[in-house]
Amino acid sequence: MTSSNGPSAAARVRPAEGTVPGEPVLSDRNALPDRVWTIPNALSVLRLLGVPLFLWLLLGPEADGWAVVVLMVSGITDWADGKLARVLGQSSRLGALLDPAADRLYIVATLIAFVLRDVVPLWVVAVLLGRELVLGVALLVLGRHGYPPLQVHYLGKAATFILLYAFPLLLIADGEGPLVAVAQPVAWALTIWGGVLYVLAGVLYVVQVVGILRADRADRAGAGP
């Protein structure tokens, strides 16, 4: 896509190597290979299929044990698909879309299910879902200015990883048995830690978007009519 007032988005993308530390890095998904049948993509699809299964287990038969298994598998595949994509050289456009989409769907679906089951208080869900709403608006603004999405920040990835391990523990802590006393403090510690990092990563994303748009406006003003 080419902006009428400036260079194409692809031309404005900075490569990951050689960037100034702390500066936002824009990812160009169109530069990735157009592959579909890869192991990382298969793992991402598996994670996506687990979302409705998880919701049904939690809200239908309330089979919390199996729901925990689904969440744990999703957390493992979340790490594995990115690792395998790098090791096997199987990065792809589709994978760049599926991986963050699966992360967000799992977090949103889990939060909705948890608030319906009274596993977590409503304010926790409001904060995390509010973060997703703000990032969605920021992504739309970037697109309207001809920029591709920013690369996933390591802080956001770490927060997602922590939350996907906190959620199964929250389910265990909400049940009965000898594990509840142990799971409860660990679950809430991970939830608070992951939630703070998740929101912080969102704030960092918005700050980077604002910086990009300000620089873009200054460049266009300097270029003149």
Side-chain angles (χ1 to χ4, degrees):
M1 182 171 75
T2 305
S3 171
S4 58
N5 295 319
S8 67
R12 294 194 294 262
V13 174
R14 278 194 296 273
E17 294 80 15
T19 55
V20 177
E23 288 193 359
V25 181
L26 297 174
S27 61
D28 185 9
R29 291 190 176 101
N30 293 326
L32 293 172
D34 191 12
R35 299 168 177 165
V36 175
W37 303 108
T38 67
I39 295 175
N41 286 352
L43 290 176
S44 294
V45 170
L46 179 64
R47 287 169 60 213
L48 286 170
L49 292 176
V51 174
L53 174 61
F54 167 75
L55 284 174
W56 176 76
L57 288 170
L58 198 58
L59 300 177
E62 296 191 2
D64 292 355
W66 286 110
V68 167
V69 171
V70 172
L71 275 179
M72 292 179 68
V73 170
S74 73
I76 293 170
T77 56
D78 180 39
W79 169 83
D81 61 11
K83 184 71 173 179
L84 289 174
R86 292 188 293 271
V87 171
L88 301 177
Q90 293 186 349
S91 298
S92 66
R93 267 186 240 176
L94 181 61
L97 292 172
L98 288 179
D99 186 44
D103 288 344
R104 283 178 168 79
L105 278 176
Y106 256 106
I107 289 176
V108 170
T110 303
L111 290 172
I112 291 173
F114 277 10
V115 79
L116 291 176
R117 286 276 305 272
D118 292 325
V119 176
V120 294
L122 183 59
W123 68 266
V124 173
V125 177
V127 169
L128 296 182
L129 291 186
R131 182 259 197 198
E132 290 301 317
L133 179 61
V134 170
L135 287 196
V137 172
L139 190 62
L140 289 176
V141 171
L142 269 182
R144 285 182 64 85
H145 283 78
Y147 286 93
L150 295 174
Q151 288 184 2
V152 178
H153 197 275
Y154 75 90
L155 195 63
K157 200 67 178 174
T160 300
F161 187 79
I162 293 169
L163 287 175
L164 288 178
Y165 276 89
F167 291 156
L169 290 174
L170 283 173
L171 272 180
I172 295 173
D174 191 56
E176 297 178 352
L179 290 178
V180 172
V182 177
Q184 196 170 56
V186 176
W188 280 107
L190 289 176
T191 300
I192 294 171
W193 182 24
V196 169
L197 291 181
Y198 201 63
V199 172
L200 184 59
V203 171
L204 179 61
Y205 192 100
V206 171
V207 168
Q208 290 177 332
V209 169
V210 171
I212 290 169
L213 297 181
R214 282 180 177 173
D216 183 70
R217 184 181 301 174
D219 288 345
R220 292 181 182 183

